[in-house]
């Protein structure tokens, strides 16, 4: 089926909007059929088997099929920041990232654009792209969309945000998120073998596999326990399809720039943030997180140390959206190739 036809009466994500995105109209994701992106960089803040030595070649896609009230990337996920790219342009960005030393191509929030991204990734591979492809997503995806990526994506980097439908409804505008995400993650784990390679400096490089992220929400540690319990039963398998777990304690309140949202949108956002404690993780909560890590004893788990540094929060208005130690920019939506 031609790519463009899949954007007519769009059913690409679980929203099932039915919007004819092929004509330039936009659905819940606020994007039409054209691929848009805001930044491409070598990212040094991802999990160790993805970052390795050269950094992850991260491409931030504009748009999103969730509406997370605390999104650190709200400029691109909800406000449309980015530039339209042809398939050729996108493939060239992938090639430039590999030339710059990227360990992989890391596609961030592309769930609403699977058909176009599948075509352009196949094009890049045809041009000689040889590093693994990483699909970095919220897990709010249909199995049909994931099947389009089979054979193209090597590494799956999904979120498991919550198993609480009330939190999902209030904070993500997706009450069905838990059931959808569980199906998507099961599919990723069942269809992907974990393969690692020894890299220089004694590091391990993931060539294929699954790393499941969970961001701990302040004041909602019971929800984290539910999530870890499900992951232990589902993803910590005794075979080559075992997934890695990445437990994140970096929750940081985000203050949107002036004018980013309408008054109604700001009010809705503030209301959603009331579903949990909109603050940093406390030392006591972090101690409880460490206890949960010990209790569940995952075979392969990463976790973040507690810190109050917020310099990692991005600003995609800048050519360098992150701090210099976290990323090296390669392409930016305002300037094109910058390195």
């Amino acid at each position: 089926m031609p790519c463009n036809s899949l954007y007519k009466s769009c059913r690409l994500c679980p929203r099932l909007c039915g919007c004819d995105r092929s004509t330039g109209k936009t659905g819940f994701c606020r994007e039409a059929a054209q691929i848009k992106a805001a930044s491409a960089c070598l990212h040094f803040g991802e999990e160790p088997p993805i970052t390795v030595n050269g950094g992850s070649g991260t491409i931030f896609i504009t748009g999103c099929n969730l509406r997370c009230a605390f999104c650190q990337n709200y400029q691109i996920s909800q406000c449309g920041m980015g530039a339209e790219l042809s398939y050729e342009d996108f493939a060239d960005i992938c090639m430039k990232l590999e030339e710059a030393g990227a360990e992989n191509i890391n596609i961030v929030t592309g769930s609403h654009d699977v058909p176009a991204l599948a075509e352009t990734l196949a094009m890049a591979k045809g041009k000689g792209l040889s590093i693994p492809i990483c699909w970095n997503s919220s897990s709010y995806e249909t199995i049909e969309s994931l099947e389009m990526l089979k054979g193209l994506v090597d590494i799956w980097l999904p979120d498991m945000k919550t198993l609480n439908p009330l939190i999902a409804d209030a904070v993500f505008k997706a009450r069905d998120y838990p059931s959808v995400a569980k199906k998507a993650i099961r599919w990723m784990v069942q269809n992907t073998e974990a393969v690692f390679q020894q890299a220089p400096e004694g590091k391990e490089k993931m060539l294929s596999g699954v790393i499941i992220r969970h961001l701990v929400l302040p004041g909602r540690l019971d929800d984290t326990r539910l999530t870890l319990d499900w992951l232990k039963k589902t993803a910590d398998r005794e075979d080559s399809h075992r997934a890695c777990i990445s437990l994140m304690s970096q929750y940081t309140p985000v203050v949107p720039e002036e004018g980013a949202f309408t008054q109604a949108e700001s009010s809705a956002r503030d209301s959603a943030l009331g579903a949990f404690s909109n603050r940093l993780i406390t030392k006591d909560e972090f101690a409880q997180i460490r206890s949960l890590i010990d209790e569940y004893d995952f075979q392969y788990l990463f976790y973040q140390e507690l810190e109050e540094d917020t310099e990692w929060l991005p600003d995609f208005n800048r050519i360098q959206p992150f701090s210099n130690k976290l990323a090296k920019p390669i392409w930016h939506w305002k300037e094109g190739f910058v390195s």
Side-chain angles (χ1 to χ4, degrees), residues 193-255:
E193 184 177 1
V195 178
F196 292 85
Q197 178 186 75
Q198 285 299 121
E201 302 178 20
K203 297 181 180 180
E204 271 194 322
K205 175 179 179 177
M206 179 177 272
L207 300 181
S208 71
V210 182
I211 300 177
I212 305 167
R213 288 173 165 172
H214 173 67
L215 175 66
V216 180
L217 293 181
R220 304 296 310 192
L221 263 64
D222 285 347
D223 289 350
T224 288
R225 176 180 283 278
L226 287 173
T227 299
L228 292 180
D229 190 66
W230 185 82
L231 290 174
K232 182 67 178 180
K233 295 172 183 175
T234 307
D236 199 38
R237 300 156 58 110
E238 295 300 327
D239 59 22
S240 62
H241 293 268
R242 175 184 285 119
C244 305
I245 308 302
S246 180
L247 196 56
M248 305 167 73
S249 57
Q250 68 180 24
Y251 181 84
T252 304
V254 174
V255 180

